[in-house]
Amino acid sequence: MDLVIRGARVVDGTGGPSYTADVGVHEGRIAGIGRFPGGGRRTLDAHGLALAPGFVDMHAHSDLALLRDPDHGAKAAQGVTLEVIGQDGLSYAPVDDRTLGEVRAAIAGWNGPGGDVDFDWRTVGEYLDRLDRGIDGEGIAVNAAYLVPQGTVRAYVLGWDDRPATAAELDRMRQLVADGLAQGAVGLSSGLTYTPGMYATGAELTELCRVVARYGGYYCPHHRSYGHGALAAYAEMVALAREAGCALHLAHATMNFGENRGRAPELLALLDAALADGADITLDSYPYTPGCTTLVALLPGWANEGGPEAVLARLRDGTQAERIRRALEVEGSDGCHGVPVDWSTIEISGTADPALAPYVGTRVADWESARRLLLADRLAPTILQHVGHEENVRAIMRHRVHTGGSDGILQGAKPHPRAYGTFPHYLGRYVRELGLLSLEECVAHLAGRPAARLRLPDRGLVRMGYRADLVLFDPDTVAAGSTYERPRMLPSGIPHVLIDGRFVMRDGRRTDVLAGRAVRRTAHDLR
């Protein structure tokens, strides 16, 4: 064997009891589990460490970071070996030249403007090929799977107009989704509080989900509200997916804002009823209370119609700016989940213009302050939105269809600590300190169950023949290093991470190995 890992506590990703064993690795796969007195070409003493399948980040925003950052320690150091990108309905494929420029501007707050990336792709397949080549043709830091972004597809076909699609336009969108799935995407995402995805009717989304169902993928919506009417928004997604016959994965599933304090059990009851009736549903969440998005995302949908340049024009116009203020502060903007904005909950976490860095870490004083910042930074500021509830977070993470997802936005001088800390925070805070989950159960949430949702036949478990995507951590010390004040601190207690049997983390340090590739939905997944 190439490597024998000796004496580890194997937490295999099934949720079953852990056990002590040696694990042998050969040619990138698990070649033996048991006792190997003869050893291998290399031996790693893992006494005192847990060995688990590599963690799967079911909601990541590393679409450009994977192509620009060979280290990518934000995820590699957490034990993440696979990220699911293309989230919230907005990413960089499929596009034409016009759509690419518009999307780059619209989500600069998530991924940066991208001036340091060669956008040499237009289709989903070409983007996945680009991930395979990665940094200087050597690959990427961790593996990545891709969701076709519904908002980008709509922008490609209809532009950024708030109107129904014609029959011909709907046919074109269906074809783009089918093409993306045929080229290897694992499903379809939506951002239904973001433009232009929010302009789609339920009937339009259902038709796209019928395509996803034919290809054996899943639908991953950021639904229409996490605030006012949140339960109705969840129910809409459940009904829509069931009508389309499509598997459903609810993105960063939570219940936020004051009116939803303590209401997670109502959401879970809704899901339990659908599951009992045969629905195929999973969800992800991060173990923190604040959300993170862009400042411009709070604006009402009508203010975003026409794309980024049209938004800037409205912000410059005094009459239009006053109309936006009223929608935000009085009516409850759809971009702010139907809840009138409380500026004291909005913290600036990043700006694109370095001259605006003094605003980072401050709370927004009022609408005029927000308006000036949006104009000065051309819609790029990112924010933390302090509107969550710990009791909801804990209730949802214990559900049997829950998986882990960081929703990690890596941009900004002061990003959300979830980007660097989600997975060790689950293991340290919610397993060891609070006992909310057993270690075995938690690893199933972070590895086995996500791989099953992605229909990956050889990942997510410690099992013979499976890929040697593995993480070794100390259950007694593992902890997130990232905090709200120091959000880029790396975790402790995770010394070793392997992808395809190659060390991407060794003795707590990032190696120069780029073992990650695009993980494609394969032909045998078709149904």
Side-chain angles (χ1 to χ4, degrees), residues 26-90:
H26 187 65
E27 295 183 348
R29 293 187 178 269
I30 298 171
I33 305 171
R35 288 284 184 265
F36 308 111
R41 293 186 180 91
R42 292 178 296 166
T43 300
L44 177 67
D45 184 354
H47 289 86
L49 298 179
L51 183 149
F55 303 139
V56 180
D57 189 341
M58 286 296 289
H59 193 106
H61 289 284
S62 302
D63 306 47
L64 298 185
L66 285 165
L67 297 175
R68 67 158 67 96
D69 179 13
D71 182 82
H72 201 44
K75 296 303 175 66
Q78 292 188 62
V80 171
T81 59
L82 170 62
E83 299 184 273
V84 185
I85 56 177
Q87 298 285 352
D88 294 327
L90 288 167

Side-chain angles (χ1 to χ4, degrees), residues 302-336:
W302 59 260
N304 284 278
E305 187 175 4
E309 292 302 322
V311 180
L312 289 166
R314 291 186 182 98
L315 289 170
R316 294 186 193 102
D317 182 277
T319 301
Q320 292 294 315
E322 172 56 23
R323 185 183 171 201
I324 294 170
R325 182 203 66 78
R326 180 171 178 80
L328 280 167
E329 296 184 348
V330 180
E331 298 165 2
S333 160
D334 49 5
C336 195

Side-chain angles (χ1 to χ4, degrees), residues 7 28-29 35 46 115 212 218 256 273 280 282-284 302 313 321 335 342 370 385 391 395 421 424 461 463 476 479:
R29 293 187 178 269
R35 288 284 184 265
V212 177
Y218 67 93
N256 289 336
D280 183 357
T282 50
L283 57 86
D284 65 67
W302 59 260
D342 176 357
Q385 195 168 11
E391 61 267 44
L461 301 176
R463 184 169 288 175
D476 295 330

Side-chain angles (χ1 to χ4, degrees), residues 231-303:
L231 283 173
Y234 278 112
E236 179 196 10
M237 295 296 100
V238 171
L240 185 157
R242 299 197 71 185
E243 182 178 352
C246 183
L248 177 66
H249 181 84
L250 297 166
H252 38 58
T254 188
M255 300 281 287
N256 289 336
F257 301 91
E259 65 191 82
N260 290 317
R261 183 184 296 274
R263 296 186 67 189
E266 296 175 57
L267 166 62
L268 300 180
L270 169 70
L271 300 182
D272 284 337
L275 289 163
D277 200 31
D280 183 357
I281 302 173
T282 50
L283 57 86
D284 65 67
S285 74
Y286 48 83
Y288 299 88
T289 53
C292 179
T293 187
T294 55
L295 183 58
V296 68
L298 303 184
L299 272 57
W302 59 260

Side-chain angles (χ1 to χ4, degrees), residues 174 203 205-215 243-246:
R174 280 192 291 237
L205 295 170
T206 300
E207 288 304 307
L208 299 184
C209 284
R210 293 189 199 279
V211 176
V212 177
R214 287 203 303 271
Y215 280 83
E243 182 178 352
C246 183

Side-chain angles (χ1 to χ4, degrees), residues 4 47 52 73 86 104 156 180 186-187 220 234 240 246 269 273 300-302 355 398 423 460 516:
V4 171
H47 289 86
R104 285 178 62 180
Y156 192 133
V186 296
C220 180
Y234 278 112
L240 185 157
C246 183
W302 59 260
R398 297 181 68 183
F423 295 86

